[in-house]
Amino acid sequence: GAGVSQSPRYKVAKRGQDVALRCDPISGHVSLFWYQQALGQGPEFLTYFQNEAQLDKSGLPSDRFFAERPEGSVSTLKIQRTQQEDSAVYLCASSPFPGQLLYGYTFGSGTRLTVV
Amino acid sequence: AQSVAQPEDQVNVAEGNPLTVKCTYSVSGNPYLFWYVQYPNRGLQFLLKYITGDNLVKGSYGFEAEFNKSQTSFHLKKPSALVSDSALYFCAVRDGENRDDKIIFGKGTRLHILP
């Protein structure tokens, strides 16, 4: 596709429920990133893939968060046993180059997760 | 660790006037600085970057930013504001000089351009 596509656009989860958020990067893009944006805050780094390799997962807030990109294309961010503090917009971005943001990412519109 | 600060939560500017959105940074080593814009219900969009070279960096939509090493600032500017520039603006810095170092964003500044 022409841009980074994220689905679902909105997700409401009951506390304790597991969720899976999908990111379709721009075709051929090497690098893929996940960010978490809480209300009124800037995006915070979660994790970074180069092709299928997860090179940095230092931003994942707990072991309830898991991300994968098994074939180096589509990525899924999974959150187990969701908590209210997980409520945020989850942003995905991709880049044609390895490394973080030397040339600027292309971001998706995000998935807004609300945990009730 | 590297960081950026955006001291203004909101900036109001009349259409046609020059605008400035402030950003200061704290880094050890050479700074890699960026500006992004976020329009409602749309993804973050890259505006410009500073890595090395001229202190005045030109970017998308007529925006530019001035890198000032002595003041550790990287303010975003535009000579004549448009109503369509109203959005949320984020300053960002790379957390280190390695290619795979992550990007750290500021909290954002909401820009209102008044018709």
Side-chain angles (χ1 to χ4, degrees), chain A residues 9-10 35 37 40-45 48 50 55-56 58-59 91 98-110 112, chain B residues 9 32 34 36 38 40-46 49 51 88 90 92-94 98-108 110:
Chain A
R9 187 77 175 86
Y10 302 94
Y35 279 79
Q37 187 176 14
Q41 301 295 317
E44 293 196 5
F45 171 81
Y48 158 53
Q50 185 174 315
L55 297 189
D56 188 346
S58 63
L91 300 171
Q100 299 214 43
L101 247 182
L102 189 60
Y103 296 100
Y105 302 158
T106 301
F107 276 84
S109 296
R112 182 177 296 277
Chain B
D9 290 336
Y32 292 72
F34 309 85
Y36 276 76
Q38 189 172 41
N41 299 315
R42 292 171 61 180
L44 279 163
Q45 296 181 31
F46 171 77
K49 66 182 186 293
I51 298 174
L88 190 56
F90 291 97
V93 65
R94 194 166 77 180
N98 296 317
R99 186 187 70 182
D100 293 330
D101 288 329
K102 64 180 180 288
I103 302 303
I104 298 172
F105 286 83
K107 289 188 174 182
R110 188 165 297 280

Side-chain angles (χ1 to χ4, degrees), chain A residues 23-44:
Chain A
C23 173
D24 283 88
I26 294 175
S27 179
H29 274 199
V30 169
S31 298
L32 185 145
F33 315 85
W34 285 98
Y35 279 79
Q36 180 191 57
Q37 187 176 14
L39 188 65
Q41 301 295 317
E44 293 196 5

